[in-house]
Amino acid sequence: MTGKTSPADSHRATRTQRSGASAASRRRDAALSRQTPLGARTTTPAKPARGPSSDPELLRRLLRAKDRMDAASHEEWPVRRLARVSCISEAHFARSFKDAFGVPPHRYLLTRRIERATSLLRDTNLPITDIAFQTGWKSLGTFGRTFRDITGESPGDLRALQKATLHELERVPACFVSAAQRPALTIAVSEKRRQDARDINAASEDEEVP
Amino acid sequence: MSQGIEVVGLYVRDQDEAVEFYVGKLGFRVHTDARNGNYRWLTVQHPEQPSFQLGLFTPEQPTLDAATVQNLREIVAKGGMPPMVLVVDDCRAACERLRARGVEFTQDPVERYGSVDASFRDPSGNGWKMIQAR
């Protein structure tokens, strides 16, 4: 793995960055890019010829992009921004991420937003509108529809359900409880919608059959 | 105490780098560093926890086959190993101190459930949750 991003490049990239990242997190990106000696490791043993996605050095940098989404899932994470965190080209980022973590980056972000919204619905009394905006949605309608498509409940119903359930998870660190309730989004939301629609159509056709 | 858990190990990608991190940055100290050829038994200790050692091991042949070594290296790099929890007196102060030493925090300190917690990773990808003692 040969590093293509020099510190000067990452400075330039940092300056031109536009989306929601704070100055502090941009500085951290730049610092971490510098700190990671690309291609500097010589201890990795010869490994069988596999895709570049199985290179632990690359995986570690992809994990950094995943960590950054975890830390700020309400922010916008275009591929350009994620690719920069991982010090990898935009062209390779999405594919490498999916190979490493099993889902495309945008869908991973979606699961984290839903997970966080679920926690906020359960643990706070914040209005659902506030939760939608705090978790990165630009409209309440999109949030409600996506949430229902993924979890099978509307945000309001899920809140009522969760509050009614007795929780004995106080002794488990909060992030693990939260992660355990992350939706397993193995297919795209649009595909899930199509499938649900097909099921409904199929069911109504069944009813018509005598 | 004469019975209990003495060593729990985690996989790291490079033991020298791991010492630099766990000793140089987190402030642990080396308990045992014994080599035999390529094999290196390396454990560190929290300065306030003399009865427990954290092993810093590399997945290596011939203990494991080449494919398993590769798989484990990938899993560690992807953050797939179980999380660990470090308890501190003051989470915010510890975060500030460790960050100044170059520790990669993945979550800033957050106050919740009557405590404050933050997250960081070691250079290999192992995840730590840092929780303020209640």
Side-chain angles (χ1 to χ4, degrees):
Chain A
M1 191 68 213
T2 315
K4 291 202 178 81
T5 311
S6 72
D9 283 336
S10 68
H11 276 309
R12 210 172 302 126
T14 303
R15 262 205 311 277
T16 55
Q17 182 170 29
R18 41 146 192 79
S19 58
S22 67
S25 74
R26 282 199 301 274
R27 276 195 302 278
R28 223 171 297 148
D29 282 351
L32 285 168
S33 301
R34 278 196 302 277
Q35 197 181 302
T36 312
L38 301 182
R41 311 219 64 80
T42 52
T43 51
T44 311
K47 51 180 172 284
R50 296 166 70 173
S53 301
S54 60
D55 171 13
E57 291 300 314
L58 170 61
L59 294 171
R60 180 66 181 89
R61 285 182 281 119
L62 291 169
L63 175 62
R64 194 161 286 142
K66 186 165 169 271
D67 281 340
R68 294 295 308 279
M69 284 195 273
D70 289 344
S73 61
H74 59 287
E75 290 181 10
E76 296 301 317
W77 288 99
V79 166
R80 199 163 68 97
R81 187 179 179 199
L82 292 166
R84 195 164 43 239
V85 173
S86 291
C87 304
I88 178 178
S89 76
E90 286 178 47
H92 289 116
F93 179 80
R95 177 59 195 274
S96 303
F97 188 95
K98 184 170 189 295
D99 283 353
F101 301 114
V103 284
H106 64 275
R107 202 187 301 162
Y108 178 72
L109 180 65
L110 197 54
T111 64
R112 292 310 315 264
R113 286 182 175 183
I114 295 294
E115 173 191 331
R116 185 146 171 267
T118 305
S119 298
L120 289 171
L121 287 165
R122 185 192 59 219
D123 300 334
T124 73
N125 291 312
L126 286 171
I128 290 171
T129 315
D130 290 8
I131 292 175
F133 292 124
Q134 276 190 27
T135 52
W137 269 275
K138 293 198 175 66
S139 99
L140 184 59
T142 314
F143 168 65
R145 196 169 60 248
T146 312
F147 191 93
R148 198 175 50 244
D149 286 342
I150 291 173
T151 66
E153 308 274 357
S154 75
D157 288 350
L158 189 109
R159 169 173 267 175
L161 209 69
Q162 294 268 359
K163 296 246 182 212
T165 317
L166 189 70
H167 288 289
E168 294 179 341
L169 293 167
E170 278 83 9
R171 293 178 66 87
V172 184
C175 58
F176 304 128
V177 176
S178 171
Q181 291 169 345
R182 186 175 309 165
L185 202 51
T186 51
I187 55 170
V189 175
S190 55
E191 177 59 25
K192 198 169 191 295
R193 280 181 191 142
R194 276 197 293 277
Q195 279 186 0
D196 289 348
R198 271 202 299 275
D199 289 347
I200 289 164
N201 291 340
S204 57
E205 278 164 22
D206 283 349
E207 282 160 22
E208 284 164 20
V209 176
Chain B
M1 188 200 74
S2 58
Q3 298 190 93
I5 299 172
E6 187 172 55
V7 180
V8 173
L10 53 93
Y11 280 134
V12 297
R13 62 184 182 184
D14 180 299
Q15 287 172 308
D16 288 336
E17 180 187 60
V19 170
E20 200 181 296
F21 179 80
Y22 284 97
V23 176
K25 291 179 178 171
L26 291 197
F28 291 15
R29 56 186 171 221
V30 173
H31 179 279
T32 305
D33 188 354
R35 295 168 196 252
N36 185 0
N38 285 334
Y39 182 77
R40 184 176 179 188
W41 173 268
L42 172 66
T43 68
V44 294
Q45 265 191 333
H46 189 282
E48 294 176 28
Q49 211 169 10
S51 69
F52 181 80
Q53 300 168 53
L54 182 68
L56 305 173
F57 308 127
T58 48
E60 254 176 313
Q61 298 184 73
T63 317
L64 299 163
D65 63 281
T68 304
V69 167
Q70 174 65 17
N71 285 341
L72 285 167
R73 285 175 178 270
E74 289 174 21
I75 291 166
V76 171
K78 290 200 276 189
M81 286 306 202
M84 290 159 289
V85 178
L86 183 69
V87 178
V88 294
D89 288 335
D90 183 337
C91 184
R92 286 196 178 85
C95 176
E96 213 168 291
R97 192 172 64 245
L98 295 178
R99 185 171 267 156
R101 292 180 195 161
V103 174
E104 177 182 354
F105 274 82
T106 52
Q107 180 219 299
D108 288 331
V110 173
E111 190 163 357
R112 54 186 164 189
Y113 303 102
S115 181
V116 184
D117 68 82
S119 303
F120 63 88
R121 282 196 196 280
D122 76 4
S124 304
N126 293 298
W128 284 85
K129 174 110 301 210
M130 186 164 78
I131 299 180
Q132 186 160 312
R134 281 190 236 204

